[in-house]
Amino acid sequence: MSKSKQQEADAATGLSEESDNEVGDFIREQRERANLSLRRLAERAGVSNPYLSQIERGIRNPSAEILKRLSRALEISAETLYTRAGLIEDGPAAPTVVEAIESDRNLTPRQKQVVLDLYRALVEAGAAADEASE
Amino acid sequence: MSKSKQQEADAATGLSEESDNEVGDFIREQRERANLSLRRLAERAGVSNPYLSQIERGIRNPSAEILKRLSRALEISAETLYTRAGLIEDGPAAPTVVEAIESDRNLTPRQKQVVLDLYRALVEAGAAADEASE
DNA sequence: AGCTTCCGCTTGCAATTGTTAGCAGCTTGC
DNA sequence: GCAAGCTGCTAACAATTGCAAGCGGAAGCT
């Protein structure tokens, strides 16, 4: 239910920028994608849950240290997060999926093969569907 | 006369580590290489000179925003500075694969979810099963 | 001698961060 | 019903950032 209260919070703190809350939105997005509750992510990242809440809503401006911890807890690269936060100008080169999987240390060669097979299959199917529909 | 001020400063702030002040040293190094006085760099970067002084000596921990401004004023890449600041050490987990999949243009959101699910499942449960079978 | 201007640093002080404690809502089980 | 368990959010507080003001010293200029 609770949905639109962000603006009030902004006004309350005197924060004049309600325009683009890139980091907060991005963090919340990633958090929900990973199926983590706010509290759980906060604990994983080693920050307090109210603070994380405020970060996500853009009424607090987290330090780089905090961003780093959050990026680790979310399993995304700090560069991506910083870029999103507008702290780095150019975007980091997006690694290809294949490349990333190849160099991953958490998967055995066999497992890599499985993921790669799935990925390639989807891409191929998707491309076909794409051409047909688009 | 003036001799050991750094120690005093450290003691004053309770900072016990005089060993690795990565960012500060690096910034000072770059500043001197560019023949900029502390005050001039501070002005260029939009930071107060006392604060920059403290940053260089490692008795203050600058926010990412400040680092970004300094990197611009020094005309070095923010990434380099962040790395030097120890803020970009990428996590040991597996950030790149997740990230690469997220930003892949060949997959639909739904397909991404499928691949991600598989990947996460393998990483999480994979180690044990792997050791058993292999 | 003065006087000016730069250098880096120290000292308080305001504003911000980040925390602990607690609130209301919403499920799930007794 | 109503405890116990989550969810996210608010309030008051401690700690830190970041700044304006001011210090002593060095170099130049009249």
Side-chain angles (χ1 to χ4, degrees), chain A residues 2-133:
Chain A
S2 55
K3 269 195 176 164
S4 53
K5 288 190 165 188
Q6 284 86 339
Q7 274 78 358
E8 295 177 26
D10 280 350
T13 55
L15 232 182
S16 41
E17 303 290 294
E18 88 250 277
S19 48
D20 37 25
N21 166 27
E22 303 167 275
V23 215
D25 286 344
F26 183 65
I27 290 176
R28 177 158 294 191
E29 203 175 296
Q30 294 303 310
R31 173 172 68 79
E32 290 176 345
R33 200 183 283 275
N35 273 326
L36 284 169
S37 77
L38 192 149
R39 277 188 146 93
R40 278 181 59 73
L41 173 58
E43 189 169 359
R44 269 173 71 104
V47 299
S48 69
N49 63 80
Y51 191 45
L52 176 55
S53 169
Q54 289 163 322
I55 290 170
E56 287 190 350
R57 284 175 299 150
I59 69 181
R60 282 287 216 280
N61 175 279
S63 71
E65 174 61 29
I66 300 290
L67 285 181
K68 175 183 159 197
R69 290 197 225 153
L70 286 172
S71 73
R72 270 220 212 117
L74 282 170
E75 292 180 359
I76 60 179
S77 91
E79 272 133 302
T80 301
L81 202 48
Y82 291 157
T83 303
R84 208 70 171 207
L87 295 170
I88 293 180
E89 342 252 314
D90 72 18
T96 72
V97 173
V98 177
E99 214 173 324
I101 293 173
E102 298 278 13
S103 60
D104 190 283
R105 281 163 298 180
N106 296 328
L107 295 180
T108 67
R110 190 170 306 174
Q111 290 174 325
K112 288 179 185 176
Q113 199 55 51
V114 175
V115 182
L116 282 173
D117 282 348
L118 171 63
Y119 173 71
R120 293 204 178 98
L122 284 177
V123 168
E124 224 160 299
D130 247 7
E131 308 228 355
S133 70

Side-chain angles (χ1 to χ4, degrees), chain B residues 56-73:
Chain B
E56 286 189 350
R57 285 176 297 151
I59 69 182
R60 282 287 215 281
N61 175 278
S63 73
E65 174 62 28
I66 301 289
L67 285 181
K68 174 184 161 197
R69 291 195 224 156
L70 286 172
S71 74
R72 267 216 216 124

Side-chain angles (χ1 to χ4, degrees), chain B residues 62-123:
Chain B
S63 73
E65 174 62 28
I66 301 289
L67 285 181
K68 174 184 161 197
R69 291 195 224 156
L70 286 172
S71 74
R72 267 216 216 124
L74 284 170
E75 292 177 357
I76 60 178
S77 98
E79 278 174 73
T80 303
L81 199 50
Y82 291 158
T83 304
R84 207 72 170 210
L87 293 172
I88 277 193
E89 271 179 283
D90 42 2
T96 37
V97 171
V98 176
E99 195 183 342
I101 293 174
E102 295 285 4
S103 60
D104 191 282
R105 296 206 171 91
N106 300 324
L107 295 180
T108 68
R110 192 171 306 173
Q111 290 174 326
K112 289 178 186 177
Q113 197 57 51
V114 175
V115 182
L116 281 172
D117 282 347
L118 171 64
Y119 174 69
R120 290 207 177 98
L122 284 178
V123 170

